[in-house]
């Protein structure tokens, strides 16, 4: 798992229980994270950002992207665009909610 250090991942559905677990696991290995979920989950995402930074000894970089909907093509395109603009690259997309289309469809 050491190979996650510095790698950039988009986690869609990050406020779910599974999403929080994945985010914290990636943070442990100093991955750069883009945590995405609906605007209704802002407070959960704010706590998750703090937790990830603590777990990653502040080596983990984290941004949040609030999405009006998790299944829309535009929402996913915006999340991927914001992530690559912020970090300069993207190494993986982790989909933690089933409402989304396949990444191939974007």
């Amino acid at each position: 798992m050491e190979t996650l250090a510095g790698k950039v991942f988009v986690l869609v559905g990050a406020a779910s229980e599974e999403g929080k677990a994945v985010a914290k696991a990636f943070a442990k290995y100093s991955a750069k994270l883009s945590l995405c979920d609906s605007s209704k989950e802002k407070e959960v995402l704010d706590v998750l950002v703090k937790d990830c930074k603590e777990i990653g000894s502040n080596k983990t970089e984290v941004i949040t992207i609030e999405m009006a909907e998790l299944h829309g093509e535009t929402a996913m395109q915006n999340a991927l665009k914001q992530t690559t603009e912020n970090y300069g690259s993207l190494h993986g997309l982790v989909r933690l909610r089933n409402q989304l289309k396949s990444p191939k469809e974007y």
Side-chain angles (χ1 to χ4, degrees):
M1 294 285 272
E2 296 299 327
T3 58
L4 292 179
K7 302 291 188 209
V8 178
F9 294 92
V10 174
L11 305 182
V12 179
S16 68
E17 291 304 313
E18 296 87 357
K20 290 187 276 189
V22 170
K24 291 174 184 179
F26 281 27
K28 181 178 178 182
Y29 295 99
S30 301
K32 296 179 181 181
L33 304 174
S34 180
L35 305 177
C36 305
D37 215 311
S38 70
S39 301
K40 298 181 292 186
E41 303 292 349
K42 182 180 179 352
E43 290 179 20
V44 175
L45 290 177
D46 290 345
V47 171
L48 184 56
V49 167
K50 185 185 292 187
D51 291 347
C52 287
K53 288 185 176 186
E54 287 175 9
I55 290 167
S57 302
N58 290 320
K59 293 178 188 171
T60 298
E61 294 180 44
V62 185
I63 62 170
T64 59
I65 299 172
E66 295 177 28
M67 303 169 82
E69 56 182 342
L70 294 179
H71 59 275
E73 180 177 345
T74 302
M76 181 55 68
Q77 288 175 340
N78 287 339
L80 297 175
K81 181 180 177 187
Q82 285 181 37
T83 301
T84 54
E85 286 176 355
N86 189 73
Y87 293 122
S89 62
L90 176 64
H91 297 96
L93 168 69
V94 181
R95 185 172 87 181
L96 299 150
R97 298 265 169 101
N98 290 330
Q99 300 99 318
L100 299 171
K101 296 178 183 177
S102 163
K104 293 178 188 175
E105 298 178 54
Y106 296 102

